[in-house]
Amino acid sequence: MRRHEFRGCNLLVIFALGLGLVLCGCSKTGNISKTETESASGKVSETAESESAIEKNSEAKKEDPSLTSLRLAAKAAGNAAIVIDLGYLNAAEGSGNLSDYDKYENQLSRYLFLTGIPKERLIGQESGYSNAFCIVPTDSNAKVEIYSTNGPDENGQLKRGELLYSADRGNPLIVRCFVADFYSNMLISVTDPSGLSIEDYNPVFSGEDGSLILTDGHGNRLYEAR
């Protein structure tokens, strides 16, 4: 009787030890699984954050350095907009492409962002005798409006005609306009969030020295990129 009891006790001890080992193994497996899951989750999160940061950096680098420099200089001077003279087009010599304007290639060598201006921001006539100017709002969030004008009224004032372009983003654009002796056929207005503005700026050249006039009719001055 005692031998059977002893054997029974041994069997119970062995069974208990075996059960303990099995439970311990399950517990370790569970811990490993959880740790691996957390690690994998952490890697995915870090990768997503890295990709997001790369995208933001990429967007920040999209602006050409020459454009950034121009805007910083104009802002320091307190000007709401920048003007770049792209030159004159003789209808008999060109097809209306920007490269046909006599100063375009020279300006392009300095301001590479000119090549990135899309067609929807090329305002005005495509052929015929004309002058082209690139207008760059100093603030990228500026509001821009461009109107046609038929010249001075009986009081010598230029009146707005058709709205040719309107935008709430201050992207660079190019106007191609007919320039007469004392006026051109476009009026350009830029207003940025800080309150700086130009109102109905009319690109035209001085009758005295041939230089580009850089002020609107209200004394607001544009920054000229040379």
Side-chain angles (χ1 to χ4, degrees), residues 49-144:
E49 289 177 0
S50 299
E51 290 176 352
S52 177
I54 290 171
E55 288 177 1
K56 288 181 179 178
N57 289 335
S58 177
E59 289 178 0
K61 291 178 180 178
K62 283 181 180 178
E63 184 168 283
D64 185 83
S66 63
L67 175 56
T68 302
S69 296
L70 269 181
R71 282 180 156 159
L72 288 173
K75 184 176 182 179
N79 303 131
I82 302 148
V83 60
I84 306 173
D85 182 7
L86 301 179
Y88 175 71
L89 169 68
N90 187 327
E93 299 174 356
S95 60
N97 295 323
L98 289 174
S99 57
D100 292 328
Y101 287 87
D102 62 357
K103 295 181 182 179
Y104 179 79
E105 294 296 338
N106 184 46
Q107 298 289 30
L108 180 61
S109 66
R110 301 172 182 173
Y111 309 113
L112 294 178
F113 67 87
L114 291 171
T115 60
I117 298 177
K119 288 184 178 180
E120 57 267 25
R121 282 190 262 128
L122 301 181
I123 317 301
Q125 58 199 67
E126 296 182 6
S127 61
Y129 297 96
S130 60
N131 286 74
F133 305 92
C134 178
I135 303 296
V136 182
T138 303
D139 193 307
S140 61
N141 293 311
K143 181 178 180 179
V144 182

Side-chain angles (χ1 to χ4, degrees), residues 145-165:
E145 291 182 338
I146 299 176
Y147 291 87
S148 66
T149 182
N150 293 322
D153 60 15
E154 60 276 8
N155 298 315
Q157 300 298 314
L158 294 173
K159 297 296 184 181
R160 290 180 175 183
E162 178 187 358
L163 178 63
L164 303 176
Y165 178 85

